[in-house]
Amino acid sequence: MPQHAPNTPVCRDCDGFATVAITTGTRHRDGTRATLHVTCPACNGTGRALPTPALARIGR
């Protein structure tokens, strides 16, 4: 029997990779690299697509 995975919508801006680490090129005293952790501004770091707001009908 095939296993079905839940259909969770993935963020279209980050493709599910909501948080990334970017190296700055500098090193700390112990030799490790300095990194910046950046989250996706579209999904606020969740990796899932936010529900679209309902369209409002304006006029007649």
Side-chain angles (χ1 to χ4, degrees):
M1 298 270 337
Q3 297 284 331
H4 295 289
N7 187 11
T8 57
V10 177
C11 176
R12 67 179 183 174
D13 293 328
C14 66
D15 288 332
F17 297 98
T19 304
V20 295
I22 302 171
T23 60
T24 61
T26 60
R27 293 184 182 259
H28 295 291
R29 288 185 177 184
D30 61 354
T32 59
R33 293 191 182 263
T35 58
L36 298 172
H37 295 279
V38 181
T39 58
C40 176
C43 64
N44 295 325
T46 61
R48 296 183 179 173
L50 299 175
T52 56
L55 297 175
R57 186 172 197 146
I58 301 173
R60 294 181 179 200

